Amino acid sequence: QDQRAKLKALRNKIVQVQSDFGKNLNEYKSSVLLSSAELAGLPEDFIAALPREGALYKISPDYPVYIGFMENARDPEARRKVEALFADRAATENVPLFKEALNLRREAAKLLGYDNHAAFVVEEQMAKTPTAVESFLARLVVALKPLGERELAEMRAMKDLELGSKSDHHIHLWDWRYYNNQLIKARSADKEKIKEYFPLDAVTTGMFAVYEKLLGVKFRKVDTLDPSASWHPEATLYEICAATGGETIAYFYMDLFPREGKYKHIAAAFDIVHARHLANGAYQKPVSVLVANFAK
C-alpha cells in the first residue's frame, strides 16, 4: 500500500508537469517582426493574414504560420530568426519541467520493477523491449542514411544555385523546410498552387462522402446548436447516424482554425465523452473533437 500510494503521487505529479509544459507552450506570446522584403517568396494570402505592427509583420511560432513561413520564405536570415523563435518557445519555463518529468518517469518505472521508463512503455507494444526498438532504428539508419545524404546533396546544389557566392554550402536547420519544399515543387507540384483546388468546404464534403460509404453512416451538421454547448463559434458540431436513418450513434466537433490560447499543434483528436452503458441500461453516446490549426 505504501508503494501504491507513492506511485499514485508520482503519476499525479507527472500529469501536472505535463499539463504545465503544454500550458506554457500554448500561452507563449513572442513573435518576430519582419519587413515586407523579408517575406519574399510567401504566398499573397499568407501575407494578407499576418498581423502587423506598423510597417512590420508579426511572425508567430504557431504551427500554421511557422511551417508556411519556413517552407516558402526565400530570405535565409529571416528563416534563421523564425527558427530560433520556434526552437526556443517557453524554454526558460519548460526545460526544468522536462528534466523533472524524466526523473519522475524513471522513479515510477523503477518502483514498478522496470529498469527505465522506456522498458515500462514498450512492454505492451509490438517491440516489447527498448533493445528491440534500438535495433530497429539502427537498421533504419543503415537503409535511409544514403537516401538522406543524396537529398541533402540536392538541397545544397539548389542553395548554391540560388545564393551563388553568398552560399555557405550547408543546409542548416532553418534551411531544410524551404529547400525540401523546392525539391517537392521540382519533382511533383507546388502545394501553394494545388491548394487553390482544395478549399476546406470541398475537402470536408469529399472526406465525409468517403467515410459515409466506407462505414455505412451519415454525417449531419447540427445547425440548431445552443451557443453554450460549444466553446467557440468556429467549433461546429456533427452527428453520426446509420446510413439507413434512425437515431444518432455519436457526435463530433470540428475545431479547425488557430486562435489565442488554443492547442497549437497541427492536428489531433480527443474524446470529450466516452461511450458506455450506464447503470440504468441507457447508452451514453460518445463525443469527440477534431482539433486542427489550418490556415483559413
Side-chain angles (χ1 to χ4, degrees):
Q1 287 298 324
D2 290 345
Q3 287 180 309
R4 186 180 181 87
K6 185 178 181 181
L7 180 63
K8 184 177 180 180
L10 284 170
R11 288 187 165 171
N12 286 341
K13 182 61 176 173
I14 289 169
V15 169
Q16 184 60 55
V17 169
Q18 289 174 330
S19 176
D20 291 344
F21 189 100
K23 185 169 181 285
N24 291 336
L25 284 177
N26 287 341
E27 295 181 355
Y28 188 67
K29 296 285 195 296
S30 291
S31 57
V32 172
L33 293 175
L34 299 176
S35 67
S36 58
E38 291 175 295
L39 305 185
L42 297 174
E44 290 182 7
D45 61 335
F46 184 94
I47 295 173
L50 293 173
R52 298 176 66 167
E53 279 192 18
L56 299 177
Y57 293 83
K58 291 178 71 173
I59 305 295
S60 76
D62 295 349
Y63 273 94
V65 177
Y66 163 73
I67 292 177
F69 185 90
M70 298 303 289
E71 286 185 340
N72 295 286
R74 288 199 291 264
D75 188 327
E77 180 58 22
R79 292 198 306 267
R80 187 195 64 76
K81 291 177 185 176
V82 174
E83 181 63 41
L85 173 72
F86 180 81
D88 206 37
R89 291 166 299 154
T92 303
E93 302 85 1
N94 276 356
V95 169
L97 290 175
F98 185 74
K99 292 178 178 177
E100 184 179 2
L102 290 177
N103 289 329
L104 289 167
R105 285 175 169 183
R106 184 183 302 111
E107 188 178 352
K110 286 187 175 296
L111 197 60
L112 288 166
Y114 296 88
D115 290 337
N116 49 53
H117 179 71
F120 165 65
V121 169
V122 176
E123 183 184 56
E124 292 187 338
Q125 299 181 13
M126 189 183 296
K128 301 298 181 188
T129 67
T131 303
V133 173
E134 289 163 0
S135 175
F136 173 70
L137 292 176
R139 294 196 303 275
L140 276 183
V141 168
V142 171
L144 296 178
K145 190 173 182 180
L147 303 177
E149 288 174 343
R150 191 168 70 202
E151 285 205 345
L152 277 174
E154 291 183 67
M155 290 183 195
R156 277 194 297 270
M158 281 187 155
K159 183 174 183 179
D160 292 346
L161 184 64
E162 184 175 329
L163 300 182
S165 60
K166 294 181 180 179
S167 174
D168 60 5
H169 314 298
H170 290 286
I171 297 298
H172 300 285
L173 190 60
W174 54 88
D175 288 330
W176 82 264
R177 286 187 187 274
Y178 174 73
Y179 288 106
N180 184 64
N181 192 31
Q182 302 312 305
L183 274 181
I184 291 171
K185 290 179 186 179
R187 291 173 177 174
S188 53
D190 185 347
K191 288 189 291 184
E192 295 304 320
K193 294 189 182 301
I194 290 173
K195 76 178 187 183
E196 296 173 16
Y197 298 92
F198 292 92
L200 182 66
D201 288 346
V203 172
T204 304
T205 301
M207 180 182 71
F208 283 174
V210 169
Y211 281 101
E212 284 178 344
K213 183 176 180 181
L214 183 68
L215 302 175
V217 297
K218 285 288 182 187
F219 301 117
R220 288 199 291 257
K221 186 177 178 182
V222 180
D223 293 316
T224 56
L225 182 65
D226 184 333
S228 66
S230 181
W231 51 93
H232 193 272
E234 290 179 344
T236 52
L237 179 65
Y238 292 82
E239 60 180 352
I240 307 174
C241 307
T244 53
E247 69 171 306
T248 302
I249 301 168
Y251 296 92
F252 68 92
Y253 286 88
M254 291 206 302
D255 187 356
L256 303 182
F257 306 117
R259 61 178 176 273
E260 199 67 39
K262 183 185 171 184
Y263 169 98
K264 293 185 185 295
H265 289 189
I266 297 174
F270 304 101
D271 289 334
I272 300 176
V273 177
H274 292 288
R276 66 191 183 103
H277 290 285
L278 304 176
N280 63 4
Y283 178 66
Q284 179 174 281
K285 297 180 179 68
V287 184
S288 294
V289 58
L290 304 176
V291 181
N293 281 298
F294 298 129
K296 288 188 181 180

